[in-house]
Amino acid sequence: MADKIKKNLPPSAQEYQAFQQQREVKRPIFKNCIKAFLVGGFICFIGQLITTFYIYFFDFTDQTAGHPTVATLIFITMLLTGFGVYDRIGQFAGAGSAVPVTGFGNAVISACIEHRTEGFVLGVGSNMFKLAGSVVLFGVFSAFIVAIIKTLLIQWGVL
């Protein structure tokens, strides 16, 4: 299909596209994937260390330590975003820093920082979940659907 579009262009535009393709910088996809994998894995490693800390020092179980761990990771991300450190991590790692729960914390606090000059209610409060609101909505809705399915399966004796 792209070839059909090229044939419909005037010769000068075709020459320009060929010129542009010769000089286009190729993205290092493999290198970017490795950086995203390593940074995302390191974030998960830190999360595991925090989980182990909560289990060892605060007498949580494996099942109950997840909630404070997620809250701690989001809090750390919000601090790092506020100081401008997490933006550098995000530029280096790409999706490796956005996919874990830390990406949610970064999205929330970035909108707050951007709109803080408009005041706490109209600026920060109304724009806090502008980007992350769809994530929250999808998470709550999907959890509701899964809970209904699980309840029905328990009622029917499948689980």
Side-chain angles (χ1 to χ4, degrees):
M1 181 162 184
D3 292 333
K4 289 180 183 179
I5 294 172
K6 279 186 181 180
K7 290 179 184 178
N8 293 336
L9 293 175
S12 61
Q14 290 178 4
E15 290 173 12
Y16 179 75
Q17 281 190 343
F19 175 78
Q20 178 187 5
Q21 286 178 353
Q22 290 173 351
R23 286 169 177 71
E24 183 181 359
V25 177
K26 303 294 184 223
R27 287 182 267 153
I29 295 173
F30 184 72
K31 180 181 171 185
N32 290 345
C33 289
I34 295 297
K35 289 193 295 188
F37 175 77
L38 291 175
V39 171
F42 186 71
I43 291 170
C44 294
F45 173 72
I46 292 172
Q48 187 61 48
L49 289 177
I50 294 170
T51 301
T52 304
F53 175 79
Y54 281 129
I55 290 171
Y56 185 73
F57 289 107
F58 293 106
D59 202 29
F60 282 95
T61 64
D62 286 337
Q63 294 176 343
T64 60
H67 300 298
T69 299
V70 169
T72 304
L73 281 172
I74 290 173
F75 180 74
I76 290 170
T77 301
M78 289 181 171
L79 283 178
L80 291 177
T81 301
F83 291 122
V85 175
Y86 201 81
D87 294 335
R88 293 184 191 149
I89 295 170
Q91 287 176 350
F92 174 78
S97 65
V99 171
V101 72
T102 54
F104 173 77
N106 182 41
V108 170
I109 201 69
S110 294
C112 291
I113 291 170
E114 183 178 340
H115 297 285
R116 73 178 180 264
T117 58
E118 299 171 18
F120 286 117
V121 175
L122 296 177
V124 174
S126 64
N127 292 303
M128 183 182 294
F129 291 108
K130 185 181 278 185
L131 181 62
S134 58
V135 175
V136 172
L137 177 67
F138 179 76
V140 170
F141 180 73
S142 60
F144 176 72
I145 297 298
V146 169
I148 288 175
I149 292 170
K150 182 178 179 183
T151 303
L152 290 174
L153 291 175
I154 289 173
Q155 291 292 325
W156 293 334
V158 177
L159 290 179

